[in-house]
């Protein structure tokens, strides 16, 4: 055998050994995997049991209990957690804790008021069986469901850091809505003394009405807030309107409407120089003075006028001064007073029916006031009077009376007619 034949034979033998090794390794791997698979199947196909403590008990079915049976849960009820034993695959059980289970009491199964013994049903994840539980029932106290309206009062909490403007005081505080509907167990509703809405003024400067929202709370007779998961309130907040009133001192002044004198030129004595009024800040904004309007042309030298205070105040403003009326005594400067007689021929009736004629039954006496020297220029014969038939009063004897309009027959700016009623009586044919 030559050298080349020997080399070829060795190579073939090596290839056979390598192939055999690979086959042997593959067989070992397959057998090992199979053994592991058989072991795993046998291990995890076996059902094991595990204990879970502290599974919380839940309540459900409250709405059905109310709507279908007219009952609800009484206040303050608590339920102990339960301990359960669950069965399943070890790998799945090892991934669970108590929070993966639900222990439920369906209160809609209650059949009446009072103590009800209801089942505790435990729900488990898929593939897990609950073998046992420490409690299978619980006692639940069911109360009659009722409703009632509570009037809401406003609790104003001023705190220590608020400022009331001068003259401002609280009047009242009103909530909107005025009432709130409370629903729940009768025993809880019976303990309600009142419903309030709290409104805090701490840190505010108060000079006008105040508005805002506040939380509604239910209080018992001891003033303690009632917090119960089984009661509902139709509103949780209310809109609060706090009304304040303000006092204000208002000066009194006289204004002349006749256009002859300025009040500064006249001696005026008032019974009260000012009045105290009160009202909402808004209503008082436009009241800076109380004006007594006087027609000075009605005064013959001196006159006294009285004004009811309340009649001069706008709606919503009150007189707090204790003065029901103010009198003003007015003394005009020294002027001459002259009386003049207008003859019948200088009196005319206008707007008579067509074809009618009038007859003046009396002359007319008038009073003029002004500086003494100013009367020297007046022509008595030029003074006339006119009456309007459209504005007559029919007298019992069939004659007519109407108020006259006077003309002095010229311009006399310093002389004025005393502003009283001048009437003429006449007949018409």
């Amino acid at each position: 055998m030559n050298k080349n034949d020997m080399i070829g034979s060795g190579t073939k033998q090596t290839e056979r050994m390598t192939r055999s090794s690979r086959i042997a390794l593959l067989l070992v791997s397959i057998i090992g995997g199979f053994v592991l698979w058989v072991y795993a199947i046998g291990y995890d196909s076996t059902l094991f049991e595990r204990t879970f403590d502290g599974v919380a008990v839940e309540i459900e079915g409250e709405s059905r209990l109310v709507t279908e049976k007219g009952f609800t849960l009484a206040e303050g009820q608590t339920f102990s957690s339960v301990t359960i034993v669950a069965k399943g695959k070890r790998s799945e059980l090892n991934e669970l804790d108590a929070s993966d289970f639900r222990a439920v009491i369906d209160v809609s199964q209650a059949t009446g008021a009072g103590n009800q013994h209801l089942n505790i049903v435990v729900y488990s994840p898929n593939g897990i069986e609950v073998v046992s539980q420490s409690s299978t029932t619980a006692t639940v106290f069911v109360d009659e469901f009722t409703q009632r309206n509570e009037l809401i009062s406003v609790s104003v909490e001023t705190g220590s850091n608020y400022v009331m403007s001068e003259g401002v005081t609280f009047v009242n505080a009103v909530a909107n809505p005025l009432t709130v509907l409370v629903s729940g167990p009768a025993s809880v509703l019976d303990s309600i003394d009142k419903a309030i809405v709290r409104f805090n003024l701490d840190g505010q400067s108060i000079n006008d009405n105040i508005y805002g929202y506040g939380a509604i709370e239910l209080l018992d007779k001891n003033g303690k807030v009632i917090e119960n998961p089984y009661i509902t309130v139709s509103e949780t907040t209310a809109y609060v309107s706090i009304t304040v009133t303000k006092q204000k001192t208002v000066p009194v002044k006289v204004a002349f409407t006749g256009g002859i004198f300025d009040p500064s030129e006249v001696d005026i004595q008032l019974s009260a120089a000012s009045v105290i009024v009160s009202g909402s800040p808004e209503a008082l904004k436009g009241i800076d003075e109380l004006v007594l309007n006087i027609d000075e042309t009605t005064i013959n030298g001196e006159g006294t006028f009285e004004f009811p205070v309340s009649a001069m105040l706008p709606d919503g403003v009150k007189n707090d001064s204790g003065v029901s009326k103010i009198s003003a005594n007015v003394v005009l400067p020294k002027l001459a007073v002259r009386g003049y007689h207008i003859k019948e021929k200088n009196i005319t009736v206008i707007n008579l029916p067509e074809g009618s004629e009038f007859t003046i039954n009396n002359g007319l006496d008038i009073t003029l006031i002004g500086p003494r020297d100013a009367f020297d220029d007046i022509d008595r014969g030029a003074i006339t009077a006119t009456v309007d038939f459209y504005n007559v009063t029919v007298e019992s004897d069939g004659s007519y009376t109407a108020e006259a309009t006077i003309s002095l027959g010229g311009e006399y700016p310093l002389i004025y007619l005393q502003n009283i009623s001048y009437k003429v009586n006449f007949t018409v044919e």
Side-chain angles (χ1 to χ4, degrees), residues 196-207:
I196 68 167
V197 55
R198 297 188 188 276
F199 197 81
N200 198 316
L201 299 179
D202 195 27
Q204 295 196 42
S205 179
I206 301 167
N207 52 31

Side-chain angles (χ1 to χ4, degrees), residues 54-59 78-82 102-105 120 135 138:
V55 178
V57 176
E58 304 174 16
I59 296 294
T78 58
F79 303 95
S80 301
S81 60
V82 295
R102 293 180 63 230
V104 176
I105 302 174
I120 301 175
S135 298

Side-chain angles (χ1 to χ4, degrees), residues 206-224:
I206 301 167
N207 52 31
D208 208 337
N209 296 337
I210 307 161
Y211 307 96
Y213 286 92
I216 297 173
E217 295 179 343
L218 304 176
L219 304 183
D220 62 19
K221 64 180 180 179
N222 296 318
K224 184 179 179 182

